[in-house]
Amino acid sequence: ECAEKDRVNSRVAELHGPLGQQGAAPTHAMYLDGAEMRTTRTLLASGWAPANLHVPNFNLQDFVAIRDKAARECAGVNVSHKSSSAFLAAAAAQPWAAAVREKHGGYGPFSLVYLDYTSVEQWPRDVELLCREKLFTPGAVFAVT
């Protein structure tokens, strides 16, 4: 399972391209990650800036593990104790999103959204929010597993 997860993470990072940027404006990535932070490590290795990575997790135990590991090993990665839907619902109004949305005609801030669910209950709401709130930049990579 870990080898397959690493392969998928690498492919998602490869599809997006280097440095988590499209054009002149740095963009952001929102993704679901586990306590081992495999996706985070892959994105950092591909050149993403930690400040542009966003990992929501509503499960308290997983959130604490991710937050603590990020503080030790991936300083600057944004870890939120929220469901993916709650995070997405608030994303467009965040100051870090405003510059990206301005540069991309009101779209963004995410050029990469990778929703690797452990439950199928959340995805319809997340997809609705991503589309309704125009949270993708043009040409964004969107992956769901």
Side-chain angles (χ1 to χ4, degrees):
E1 179 181 313
C2 291
E4 180 65 12
K5 175 70 172 161
D6 290 340
R7 187 187 69 75
V8 171
N9 285 344
S10 294
R11 182 65 177 140
V12 168
E14 177 186 322
L15 285 170
H16 183 277
L19 302 179
Q21 296 191 26
Q22 291 184 338
T27 57
H28 293 257
M30 191 284 271
Y31 54 96
L32 304 178
D33 211 351
E36 294 180 7
M37 298 187 70
R38 299 177 86 82
T39 304
T40 299
R41 288 197 317 258
T42 299
L43 293 175
L44 289 169
S46 74
W48 279 84
N52 292 30
L53 300 178
H54 303 271
V55 186
N57 197 304
F58 187 69
N59 178 286
L60 182 58
Q61 182 177 347
D62 290 343
F63 162 74
V64 169
I66 293 166
R67 180 199 63 199
D68 292 351
K69 188 169 185 116
R72 286 190 314 271
E73 300 175 18
C74 312
V77 171
N78 300 285
V79 182
S80 303
H81 185 223
K82 295 181 179 182
S83 69
S84 50
S85 293
F87 177 83
L88 290 169
Q94 299 302 310
W96 51 264
V100 177
R101 291 175 70 84
E102 184 177 320
K103 297 260 186 201
H104 291 282
Y107 291 87
F110 302 113
S111 63
L112 174 61
V113 175
Y114 179 20
L115 302 174
D116 186 14
Y117 293 106
T118 56
S119 166
V120 297
E121 298 168 6
Q122 197 74 31
W123 75 265
R125 175 84 172 126
D126 289 350
V127 172
E128 176 196 351
L129 284 163
L130 285 161
C131 296
R132 186 184 72 221
E133 300 299 323
K134 300 187 253 182
L135 297 175
F136 294 117
T137 59
V141 172
F142 178 43
V144 180
T145 57

